[in-house]
Amino acid sequence: MTTHEKVVLVTGGSSGIGAATVEKLAEQGLTVIAAARRTGKLEELASKLRNKNYAVDYKQLDVTNFEQMEQVVQEIKEAYGQLDVLVNNAGIMPLSMLEKRKITEWNQMIDVNIKGVLHGIASVLPLMKVQQRGHIINIASIGAYSVTPTASVYCATKYAVRAITDGLRQELTHNIRTTLISPGVTESELADHITDGEASEAMVEYRKIALPASAIADAISYAILQPSEVDVNELVVRPT
Ligand code: NDP
């Protein structure tokens, strides 16, 4: 199979890193399916890229819902006969000190950032095993390597993604590759949903040096475009 025959599913494809990845991979001639909850944003992105004759489709998906994730993978299998790459990118980061007791936001981070990734893995593995090929790319963070105040729960979810990805790498056979991509601060909507005033203010200065989302899309594309016997396991990408 040449790279250009690959079919890729990108979760969280409606903004930031996910949207930049959809665009980058489509430009490179891959068939890309963008999935997220906001279908208006997905439709806008897909039509912009289809107007350039790129192969882009989109699906409404809440990654916390395993049945929906399985359904999306099934629909891709029926439409394209294959799914070669899953980019588990959907994530949220409502930062706050633990003493603020934002239990609902902790649970949401666990549901999206950890369970969402597991739902993705569980949904694609049976198909990838039958295909005898595949590639699962999980987006972690520099927060998967060290913890900072206000980010304890967020970092815990990203440490978990790192652990899961390494375990998956060691367990897998069937010619299936695994890649962990850990971005440093990157332009996106990620910090827009922080409800805690202090944590939100701290982000303003921190995010001034943010990388463009295309920089992370480039790293994802690099991992995908390697020859099939080469598995790029971990990439950390920070602003200079
Ligand atoms: P954005 O907020 O711009 O994008 C997050 C994406 O996740 C959106 O497309 C959103 O779509 C989607 N999403 C959120 N919840 C769900 C859900 N329940 N089901 C499906 N999709 C969901 O942020 P980024 O682009 O920055 O985030 C992408 C990934 O990169 C995340 O995993 C994040 O943790 C990671 N990251 C980002 C960094 C940064 O500085 N930007 C640094 C390190 C890691 P919708 O709302 O339409 O569902």
Side-chain angles (χ1 to χ4, degrees):
M1 151 169 297
T2 69
T3 295
H4 297 94
E5 290 162 339
K6 285 191 173 170
V7 177
V8 185
L9 169 61
V10 180
T11 71
S14 60
S15 66
I17 293 168
T21 302
V22 171
E23 188 157 359
K24 175 84 191 176
L25 299 178
E27 277 167 9
Q28 290 174 320
L30 284 76
T31 297
V32 191
I33 297 98
R37 294 165 305 172
R38 291 172 295 172
T39 47
K41 301 255 291 176
L42 294 173
E43 165 65 33
E44 210 178 297
L45 177 65
S47 17
K48 181 181 97 177
L49 296 172
R50 281 178 191 150
N51 285 341
K52 297 180 181 173
N53 283 327
Y54 298 144
V56 176
D57 197 357
Y58 70 88
K59 302 279 178 193
Q60 183 162 33
L61 170 66
D62 182 336
V63 296
T64 66
N65 183 323
F66 177 58
E67 286 72 30
Q68 267 185 37
M69 179 75 91
E70 276 209 308
Q71 179 63 28
V72 163
V73 171
Q74 182 59 28
E75 286 171 14
I76 292 170
K77 186 184 161 202
E78 281 163 18
Y80 302 97
Q82 66 195 64
L83 176 57
D84 304 288
V85 186
L86 167 65
V87 184
N88 264 323
N89 164 74
I92 56 169
M93 188 192 68
L95 303 178
S96 63
M97 296 285 205
L98 290 169
E99 65 180 20
K100 299 281 175 78
R101 303 182 358 137
K102 291 192 180 264
I103 312 283
T104 307
E105 292 185 349
W106 299 349
N107 284 330
Q108 284 165 345
M109 277 189 277
I110 291 164
D111 286 346
V112 178
N113 299 1
I114 305 179
K115 292 187 192 167
V117 165
L118 288 170
H119 292 164
I121 292 168
S123 300
V124 300
L125 269 187
L127 175 59
M128 288 182 175
K129 283 172 77 171
V130 171
Q131 291 176 167
Q132 294 279 314
R133 65 166 197 277
H135 193 169
I136 297 173
I137 301 179
N138 295 331
I139 308 304
S141 165
I142 51 168
Y145 297 85
S146 66
V147 182
T148 47
T150 75
S152 311
V153 180
Y154 178 72
C155 293
T157 66
K158 294 302 186 175
Y159 271 75
V161 171
R162 184 173 155 217
I164 290 161
T165 312
D166 198 47
L168 185 66
R169 175 186 67 79
Q170 295 177 57
E171 286 177 14
L172 279 179
T173 51
H174 299 85
N175 203 24
I176 301 171
R177 306 190 290 181
T178 59
T179 301
L180 184 78
I181 307 245
S182 292
V185 63
T186 304
E187 285 165 8
S188 75
E189 297 178 9
L190 196 67
D192 299 354
H193 309 291
I194 299 173
T195 60
D196 181 67
E198 266 173 75
S200 178
E201 258 172 51
M203 279 291 111
V204 175
E205 192 57 34
Y206 176 68
R207 299 193 76 81
K208 278 186 180 157
I209 54 158
L211 289 169
S214 60
I216 309 305
D218 285 344
I220 294 168
S221 154
Y222 170 77
I224 294 173
L225 299 188
Q226 295 306 301
S228 62
E229 70 276 17
V230 178
D231 188 1
V232 176
N233 295 133
E234 286 193 35
L235 287 173
V236 183
V237 184
R238 295 185 178 90
T240 312

